[in-house]
Amino acid sequence: MITSNASPRNLLPPVLFLLVAAAMGLAHALLPRPSVLPEPYRPIGLLLLAIGVAVAIAARLQFARAATEINTFAEPTRLVTDGLFRWSRNPMYLGMGLAAVGVATLSGAAAAFLLAGAFVAIVDRWYIAFEERRLRARFGAAYETYARSTRRWV
């Protein structure tokens, strides 16, 4: 069982995304049914995947410009609250979540959508909870103010 007190030190979020995407591909190949999305709508997944990857990369580049720590498990060095972070406290995770939904949409298989939902739940309850505790400890009132004014996802 995953708890919010667990430290996910051995699995970086992008690696988890790639593992989930691979599991979706496997699920599509081995369990294509039941399909929950008709074939004509599946190409929309490419758009969702592209937008998700673009959002995640843009947020990553914003961290680079701010010269702050990107590693989930390293000590945070700066609180980034501008750009994409004005709209979401977690645009990198938002992007990966959207990309996961895009992959599931391309597949159309129910199992792929379940895996996308599991990815988002793990990110929300495990990684984000872990990071929020560290940000509160490091930035105190500044983080609390930011958290009250900006939603966790969108």
Side-chain angles (χ1 to χ4, degrees), residues 46-154:
L46 285 174
L47 179 63
L48 297 174
L49 177 62
I51 291 170
V53 169
V55 166
I57 289 171
R60 168 62 178 104
L61 292 173
Q62 192 172 345
F63 260 42
R65 284 191 300 276
T68 191
E69 182 60 54
I70 187 73
N71 187 318
T72 301
F73 311 113
E75 194 63 35
T77 54
R78 285 206 174 111
L79 182 61
V80 179
T81 61
D82 60 342
L84 291 173
F85 293 86
R86 265 184 304 169
W87 307 103
S88 170
R89 294 194 317 259
N90 298 285
M92 284 179 246
Y93 292 132
L94 176 64
M96 284 187 275
L98 188 57
V101 171
V103 173
T105 302
L106 282 167
S107 164
F113 283 100
L114 290 173
L115 287 164
F119 173 79
V120 170
I122 290 168
V123 164
D124 187 64
R125 301 293 180 217
W126 195 6
Y127 291 110
I128 292 175
F130 175 82
E131 290 178 9
E132 286 180 341
R133 284 192 305 276
R134 295 193 79 179
L135 290 166
R136 279 188 177 89
R138 172 80 165 89
F139 300 108
Y143 179 75
E144 291 298 335
T145 300
Y146 172 60
R148 279 193 302 276
S149 66
T150 307
R151 295 176 63 109
R152 181 181 258 190
W153 288 97
V154 284

Side-chain angles (χ1 to χ4, degrees), residues 2-64:
I2 297 172
T3 67
S4 62
N5 292 329
S7 176
R9 294 187 188 277
N10 297 325
L11 187 61
L12 292 172
V15 174
L16 176 63
F17 170 77
L18 292 174
L19 290 172
V20 168
M24 286 183 201
L26 204 60
H28 178 76
L30 300 176
L31 306 165
R33 302 276 183 240
S35 178
V36 295
L37 190 64
E39 181 67 41
Y41 299 105
R42 291 186 191 166
I44 293 169
L46 285 174
L47 179 63
L48 297 174
L49 177 62
I51 291 170
V53 169
V55 166
I57 289 171
R60 168 62 178 104
L61 292 173
Q62 192 172 345
F63 260 42

